């Protein structure tokens, strides 16, 4: 996150996202104490996220991958066909260090799920892409995740709406 002066005050720019996210910085207001219901809603939301993440870990384990392997493959697949994903970009997307991303890519290459090739833009870098086998494995996993989100999504949306309503109510 980087902070710069904008025309209407300071803004934060999040460079970790593919498309930079620009958010106005508001002066920090005195924190309001959360009541029991608000804490319960936040706890329920966190639990719901953890349940989904646990599902994701278990789904990846069933096909012999870790959740991080799945996430790495998803980052590579999510890049548009014309965009290159480098190890550096993968590390940024997964919020891990470059050397950890190198090891992760090594393991995926060894499992024949990813291939490295010289970058078209900079021959010093390597570009990552899924193999046919990697695309097949990722497709099955992504489909399982989509079904789980269809099943679980309404609960998450309801919790998010409740949190937003509570936040708006507290601002008034």
């Amino acid at each position: 996150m980087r902070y710069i002066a904008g025309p209407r005050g300071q803004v934060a720019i999040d460079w970790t996202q593919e498309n930079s996210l620009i958010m106005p910085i508001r002066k920090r207001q005195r924190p309001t104490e959360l009541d029991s219901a608000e804490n319960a809603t936040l706890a329920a939301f966190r639990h719901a996220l953890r349940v989904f993440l646990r599902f994701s870990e278990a789904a990846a384990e069933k096909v012999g991958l870790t959740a991080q392997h799945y996430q790495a493959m998803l980052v590579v697949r999510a890049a548009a066909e014309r965009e290159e994903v480098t190890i550096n970009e993968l590390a940024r997307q997964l919020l891990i260090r470059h050397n950890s991303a190198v090891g992760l890519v090594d393991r995926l290459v060894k499992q024949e799920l990813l291939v490295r090739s010289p970058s078209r833009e900079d021959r010093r870098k390597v570009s990552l892409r899924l193999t046919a086998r990697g695309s097949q494995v990722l497709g099955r996993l992504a489909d399982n995740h989509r079904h789980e989100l269809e099943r679980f999504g309404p609960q998450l949306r309801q919790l998010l709406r409740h949190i937003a309503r509570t936040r708006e109510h507290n601002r008034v």
Side-chain angles (χ1 to χ4, degrees):
M1 187 80 62
R2 201 173 113 203
Y3 301 95
I4 62 170
R8 294 189 178 127
Q10 209 175 27
V11 294
I13 300 178
D14 184 352
W15 293 106
T16 62
Q17 299 298 319
E18 186 173 298
N19 298 320
S20 298
L21 178 64
I22 300 176
M23 305 168 290
I25 298 176
R26 297 190 176 120
K27 288 186 179 180
R28 187 163 170 107
Q29 298 173 351
R30 262 184 103 174
T32 56
E33 193 168 323
L34 301 177
D35 62 24
S36 294
E38 291 170 308
N39 278 313
T41 301
L42 290 174
F45 181 71
R46 186 189 179 296
H47 180 261
L49 288 177
R50 187 64 197 119
V51 166
F52 180 75
L53 291 174
R54 183 60 197 124
F55 159 81
S56 183
E57 293 163 2
E61 286 171 12
K62 283 182 184 175
V63 295
L65 300 175
T66 66
Q68 197 171 48
H69 288 143
Y70 168 65
Q71 292 165 12
M73 293 169 65
L74 199 56
V75 167
V76 172
R77 177 61 185 96
E81 297 280 329
R82 66 189 182 291
E83 291 181 33
E84 290 186 335
V85 177
T86 63
I87 291 177
N88 216 18
E89 178 60 23
L90 181 66
R92 275 196 298 272
Q93 290 284 326
L94 296 179
L95 305 175
I96 60 176
R97 292 199 167 132
H98 184 272
N99 61 327
S100 297
V102 170
L104 179 62
V105 168
D106 287 345
R107 290 186 294 279
L108 289 168
V109 167
K110 188 175 181 178
Q111 289 180 294
E112 298 179 350
L113 299 170
L114 275 185
V115 292
R116 291 179 170 105
S117 58
S119 170
R120 294 184 302 260
E121 298 168 6
D122 185 344
R123 300 303 257 176
R124 296 170 296 175
K125 297 180 180 180
V126 294
S127 179
L128 306 172
R129 66 180 170 78
L130 292 172
T131 63
R133 180 173 179 265
S135 291
Q136 186 179 41
V137 169
L138 179 63
R140 284 194 317 263
L141 273 172
D143 189 52
N144 289 343
H145 281 75
R146 181 181 33 237
H147 288 299
E148 182 66 8
L149 282 173
E150 287 170 354
R151 185 187 74 76
F152 201 53
Q155 180 184 356
L156 287 173
R157 279 192 299 275
Q158 180 182 1
L159 287 166
L160 281 172
R161 278 193 301 270
H162 189 269
I163 290 168
R165 276 194 311 264
T166 302
R167 179 125 173 98
E168 288 300 316
H169 176 72
N170 286 341
R171 283 186 190 177
V172 176

